[in-house]
């Protein structure tokens, strides 16, 4: 599994979709989920994201915005709407009395609306465990990608189909939003280029990519610089030099960091023993693993597990 797939494996749209909201100004939506990620697709019209730190970001038709949680934020037709009479909504999908469908959000129209109305697809993503946290650290508070008209038309049609509440509609929208999240993140990482995280940049390098796929596919193997270079089909010296230049640290340092990140997730999210986790992430014994974990993370595995619990 490549790094992006691995990090996204812990975050999913599960029953958390506002399928297709069509709003007539003035309006204001508060996102109160504390969700790790929230995605807003603007099909028609537009609005302004009002972030918790006071920053604002305008989004318009064709834009897909991903907002990093867990802070509350708002989306309004105009920034000053919150200070004038307006129709207010709150999206909160992850509580027992959550209102995440159009039928429960009184006042929001679903399906086709007036041409001047703003049409949105919104997905809040639920996290299972801690694996996704490394991905969140690589993202800004909000990122915006512009899509072409054909993509927007296809999304709107799919949302309208799901809003009819036919069999499988919730699963359809959940998977649609999972797909859209992956595509949006890949597009953004490609656009930021050198500012993308090293684990993503390396996957597009013809020399490093085979070695990274091999390591992330089998992290428990006894990897060395020589065996990684063999996967890449280059000399040990060339591989080490290229890896350090592109990834910002030597190969074995990167491997250790990835293994300890995986170990954090296993310590926090599973009941595996420390010895079992050590073998899972590529260490022969618990002592060597514990030493490496404390050196990199500053605490022992058992102390980390207690704090996470």
């Amino acid at each position: 599994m490549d790094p992006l797939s691995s990090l996204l494996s812990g975050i999913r749209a599960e029953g958390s979709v506002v399928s297709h909201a069509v709003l007539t100004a003035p309006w204001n939506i508060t996102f109160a989920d504390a969700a790790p990620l929230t995605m807003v697709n603007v099909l028609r019209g537009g609005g302004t994201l009002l972030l918790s730190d006071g920053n604002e970001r305008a989004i318009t038709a064709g834009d897909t915005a991903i907002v990093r949680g867990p802070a509350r934020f708002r989306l309004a037709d105009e920034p000053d709407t919150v200070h004038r009479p307006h129709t207010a909504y709150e999206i909160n999908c992850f509580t027992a009395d959550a209102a995440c469908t159009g039928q429960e959000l009184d006042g929001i129209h679903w399906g086709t609306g007036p041409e001047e109305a703003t049409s949105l697809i919104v997905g809040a993503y639920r996290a299972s465990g801690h694996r996704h946290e490394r991905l969140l650290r690589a993202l800004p508070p909000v990122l915006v990608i512009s899509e072409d008209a054909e993509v927007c038309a296809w999304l709107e049609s799919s949302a309208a189909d799901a809003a009819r509440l036919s069999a499988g509609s919730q699963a359809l929208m959940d998977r649609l939003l999972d797909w859209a999240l992956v595509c949006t993140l890949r597009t953004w990482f490609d656009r930021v280029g050198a500012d993308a995280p090293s684990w993503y940049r390396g996957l597009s390098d013809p020399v490093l990519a085979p070695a990274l796929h091999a390591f992330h596919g089998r992290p428990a193997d006894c990897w060395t610089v020589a065996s990684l270079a063999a996967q890449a089909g280059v000399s040990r010296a060339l591989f080490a030099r290229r890896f350090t230049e592109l990834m910002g640290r030597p190969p074995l340092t990167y491997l250790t960091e990835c293994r300890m990140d995986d170990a954090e997730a296993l310590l926090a999210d599973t009941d595996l023993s420390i010895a079992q986790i050590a073998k899972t992430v590529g260490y022969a014994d618990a002592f060597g693993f514990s030493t490496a974990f404390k050196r990199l993370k500053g605490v022992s595995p058992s102390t980390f597990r207690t704090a996470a619990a």
Side-chain angles (χ1 to χ4, degrees):
M1 185 180 293
D2 66 85
L4 182 57
S5 297
S6 176
L7 297 177
L8 285 170
S9 66
I11 189 165
R12 285 285 186 271
E14 294 289 351
S16 60
V17 58
V18 178
S19 303
H20 188 197
V22 180
L23 309 104
T24 302
W27 51 267
N28 186 311
I29 302 175
T30 298
F31 294 84
D33 276 315
L37 288 177
T38 302
M39 185 168 64
V40 180
N41 297 95
V42 185
L43 305 177
R44 286 182 281 122
T48 300
L49 290 166
L50 308 173
L51 304 180
S52 61
D53 60 5
N55 287 325
E56 301 177 359
R57 182 70 180 266
I59 52 177
T60 189
D63 286 346
T64 296
I66 294 179
V67 182
R68 190 184 68 201
R72 294 163 67 103
F73 67 96
R74 288 179 290 188
L75 176 64
D77 61 310
E78 297 288 347
D80 61 352
T81 294
V82 294
H83 305 300
R84 297 187 282 111
H86 62 274
T87 304
Y89 308 101
E90 181 171 294
I91 307 300
N92 191 354
C93 298
F94 298 154
T95 60
D97 58 350
C100 286
T101 66
Q103 290 68 27
E104 295 169 336
L105 289 173
D106 185 33
I108 293 184
H109 304 286
W110 299 83
T112 303
E115 288 300 318
E116 68 273 12
T118 290
S119 178
L120 307 171
I121 298 176
V122 180
Y125 291 82
R126 187 191 304 269
S128 58
H130 296 73
R131 186 173 295 276
H132 68 286
E133 291 174 356
R134 188 177 175 208
L135 171 64
L136 297 187
R137 292 195 295 268
L139 300 179
V142 60
L143 63 91
V144 178
I145 295 295
S146 295
E147 304 287 359
D148 56 37
E150 289 78 9
V151 172
C152 292
W154 181 78
L155 283 172
E156 187 163 19
S157 175
S158 298
D161 287 343
R164 296 190 184 101
L165 296 180
S166 57
S169 59
Q170 182 65 67
L172 169 64
M173 284 305 301
D174 286 347
R175 299 293 78 77
L176 175 66
L177 288 175
D178 286 339
W179 171 84
L181 177 63
V182 175
C183 292
T184 301
L185 289 175
R186 286 176 56 177
T187 299
W188 185 78
F189 282 140
D190 287 340
R191 290 183 182 178
V192 298
D195 292 329
S198 60
W199 47 261
Y200 187 86
R201 297 196 309 272
L203 292 174
S204 61
D205 183 82
V207 172
L208 302 190
L212 288 172
H213 279 291
F215 165 67
H216 286 284
R218 306 190 307 276
D221 286 9
C222 185
W223 292 106
T224 64
V225 176
S227 62
L228 290 170
Q231 292 288 331
V234 297
S235 70
R236 182 182 182 279
L238 173 60
F239 178 81
R241 182 171 64 254
R242 190 176 185 90
F243 194 103
T244 303
E245 290 174 353
L246 186 61
M247 305 290 281
R249 62 271 222 197
L252 297 185
T253 300
Y254 174 82
L255 265 60
T256 300
E257 291 173 354
C258 290
R259 284 168 166 161
M260 294 306 107
D261 286 340
D262 287 344
E264 277 190 336
L266 293 170
L267 287 166
D269 302 332
T270 74
D271 294 326
L272 293 175
S273 69
I274 291 176
Q276 289 172 318
I277 292 174
K279 291 183 178 180
T280 300
V281 298
Y283 283 79
D285 58 73
F287 178 78
F289 162 69
S290 297
T291 300
F293 189 93
K294 186 172 184 178
R295 183 172 62 249
L296 192 63
K297 300 297 184 179
V299 295
S300 67
S302 57
T303 300
F304 176 87
R305 169 168 273 173
T306 300

